[in-house]
Amino acid sequence: MVTIRHLELAEELFEIEPSATYPARAAAIVAQLAGASAHRMVLEGAEAEGNGSNGAEHRGEALAVPLRHGKSEIGTLQLWFADGGRNEDVQRIARWGGRLLARGIAYSRKMGNGASNGSREIDIQALLASTPLTPRERDVVGRLVSGHSTREIAQSTGLTVATVNTYLKRIFAKLGVHSRVELLARVTGTRNAISASRPS
């Protein structure tokens, strides 16, 4: 059963930053979503850190979640469940989280492989200038694309987190997107933005 806490954690997966920190942070969130006691992620042959991933012996039931984006498999997330809590609902949530994680990693890489921050900022501001966004909304989008979380945007602009979320809702409506992933995809040039999947 999906709870409010699951939804809050899933929202954190959409706080994509163009850096090497996103995959490890997001993998830990997916492990929390599934209720795993330990996790380890392997991306294209390179192991990312996870709790208990440093060679320690894992105990309990294991679940390997393939990380697929489009037609490509970009890695695997291994989850361990100490209390035998690996039921069908947990497996569905883990697979759903794995899909979101793979998409987030793909977008994080695209953001990181783009132009330098200076020219990227100019390009993004030029693109946003032709939108119906207000100057404050353009500022919020620019900060989001630069990798800032909602909390960081609030702190740096003197707004509350609730106000930043209100701005984001308005921005989504004006640009015809439904999530942060779609917004980032659209602004960073991956025009075929995707909607977040829901657990099946």
Side-chain angles (χ1 to χ4, degrees):
M1 176 179 175
V2 177
T3 66
I4 296 294
R5 181 62 183 144
H6 286 120
L7 296 175
E8 290 171 349
L9 285 169
E11 183 180 24
E12 291 180 33
L13 288 173
F14 299 124
E15 293 180 0
I16 299 172
E17 66 265 13
S19 69
T21 60
Y22 178 80
R25 180 179 67 79
I29 292 170
V30 173
Q32 276 187 276
L33 276 168
S37 58
H39 71 278
R40 176 175 47 221
M41 181 173 59
V42 178
L43 294 175
E44 299 172 350
E47 185 174 305
E49 287 298 314
N51 62 328
S53 68
N54 55 2
E57 184 179 336
H58 298 289
R59 297 178 187 246
E61 292 185 74
L63 173 65
V65 178
L67 302 177
R68 292 190 183 96
H69 180 68
K71 295 181 181 178
S72 303
E73 186 166 322
I74 62 171
T76 304
L77 178 64
Q78 298 169 324
L79 303 170
W80 283 268
F81 301 89
D83 60 359
R86 195 187 117 182
N87 59 39
E88 285 184 35
D89 286 339
V90 166
Q91 290 180 38
R92 270 198 303 271
I93 289 171
R95 285 193 298 267
W96 173 65
R99 288 193 301 268
L100 293 177
L101 172 59
R103 289 174 182 167
I105 290 169
Y107 288 120
S108 179
R109 287 176 176 172
K110 285 180 182 179
M111 290 170 70
N113 289 337
S116 68
N117 285 342
S119 61
R120 174 178 288 279
E121 186 67 26
I122 292 166
D123 291 345
I124 289 168
Q125 290 306 322
L127 171 70
L128 293 175
S130 64
T131 66
L133 301 179
T134 66
R136 177 60 99 177
E137 289 167 344
R138 288 196 296 268
D139 181 42
V140 168
V141 172
R143 292 171 191 271
L144 185 68
V145 170
S146 296
H148 293 87
S149 68
T150 303
R151 188 168 286 111
E152 290 169 336
I153 293 169
Q155 289 171 348
S156 64
T157 58
L159 300 170
T160 65
V161 170
T163 302
V164 173
N165 284 327
T166 299
Y167 274 116
L168 287 172
K169 287 177 187 174
R170 288 182 194 158
I171 290 163
F172 292 172
K174 288 180 179 181
L175 298 182
V177 297
H178 301 93
S179 70
R180 293 169 196 242
V181 172
E182 279 189 271
L183 175 64
L184 290 169
R186 184 167 181 181
V187 171
T188 59
T190 53
R191 190 71 177 113
N192 57 343
I194 44 109
S195 299
S197 300
R198 294 185 178 141
S200 52

